């Protein structure tokens, strides 16, 4: 079952990685969206770095609980800023909120579980023993 947990980390991370790459290659659309929601453009490139680096750490299983916690906080923050205020009038925004809640749920499951054999955390933990 360790391989299932590994694929779970990959699948949940792909969303962030693909979105980070999409933003990198089409910055104008994302910056306009950020500006429309009063988010400073200075946060654009750090958010791209976050959306690529942290999911790669999650896939590797390095500092998994901390990384999953930060990703969950990121998703929660993004949901509040960009989606919640439109969700009652826009079905797509409601779906975005529900998708993000599901992502947070998956990250919470990762946080709640011990590191599995296909992660750096597992090897670091067992090396100490």
């Amino acid at each position: 079952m360790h391989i299932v947990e590994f694929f779970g980390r990959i699948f949940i991370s792909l969303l962030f990685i693909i979105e980070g790459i999409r933003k990198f290659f089409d910055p104008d659309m994302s910056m306009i969206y950020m500006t429309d929601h009063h988010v400073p453009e200075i946060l654009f490139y750090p958010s791209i770095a976050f959306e690529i680096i942290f999911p790669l750490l999650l896939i590797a299983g390095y500092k998994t609980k901390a990384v999953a916690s930060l990703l969950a906080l990121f998703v929660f923050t993004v949901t509040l800023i960009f989606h919640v205020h439109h969700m009652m009038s826009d079905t797509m925004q409601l779906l975005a909120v529900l998708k993000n809640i599901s992502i947070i749920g998956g990250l919470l499951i990762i946080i709640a579980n011990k590191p599995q054999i296909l992660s750096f955390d597992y090897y670091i933990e067992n090396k100490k023993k």
Side-chain angles (χ1 to χ4, degrees), residues 2-129:
H2 306 299
I3 193 80
V4 173
E5 189 262 346
F6 177 65
F7 277 108
R9 291 195 325 259
I10 290 172
F11 292 156
I12 204 162
S13 295
L14 280 176
L15 176 80
F16 295 100
I17 294 168
I18 291 168
E19 185 63 16
I21 291 169
R22 186 197 62 77
K23 285 179 186 173
F24 181 78
F25 287 108
D26 188 14
D28 295 336
M29 209 51 176
S30 297
M31 285 190 184
I32 290 168
Y33 195 69
M34 288 174 70
T35 303
D36 287 348
H37 289 85
H38 310 290
V39 176
E41 286 183 12
I42 195 166
L43 296 176
F44 178 71
Y45 288 107
S47 72
I48 290 175
F50 184 88
E51 285 182 291
I52 294 173
I53 293 168
F54 279 75
L56 290 174
L57 292 172
L58 187 64
I59 290 170
Y62 182 74
K63 302 288 184 185
T64 308
K65 291 180 187 287
V67 168
S69 298
L70 290 171
L71 285 168
L73 182 62
F74 178 79
V75 173
F76 181 74
T77 304
V78 166
T79 303
L80 289 178
I81 292 171
F82 295 108
H83 304 297
V84 168
H85 57 285
H86 297 298
M87 74 179 193
M88 291 308 187
S89 60
D90 185 349
T91 304
M92 291 306 293
Q93 294 300 325
L94 176 60
L95 289 174
V97 169
L98 294 173
K99 172 195 61 107
N100 288 355
I101 289 170
S102 299
I103 292 166
I104 292 168
L107 291 167
L108 290 174
I109 290 169
I110 291 171
I111 293 164
N113 288 301
K114 289 184 176 183
Q116 300 295 315
I117 196 165
L118 295 174
S119 70
F120 280 109
D121 289 345
Y122 178 85
Y123 289 104
I124 292 168
E125 185 177 299
N126 288 312
K127 187 177 180 182
K128 292 177 184 176
K129 294 179 182 177

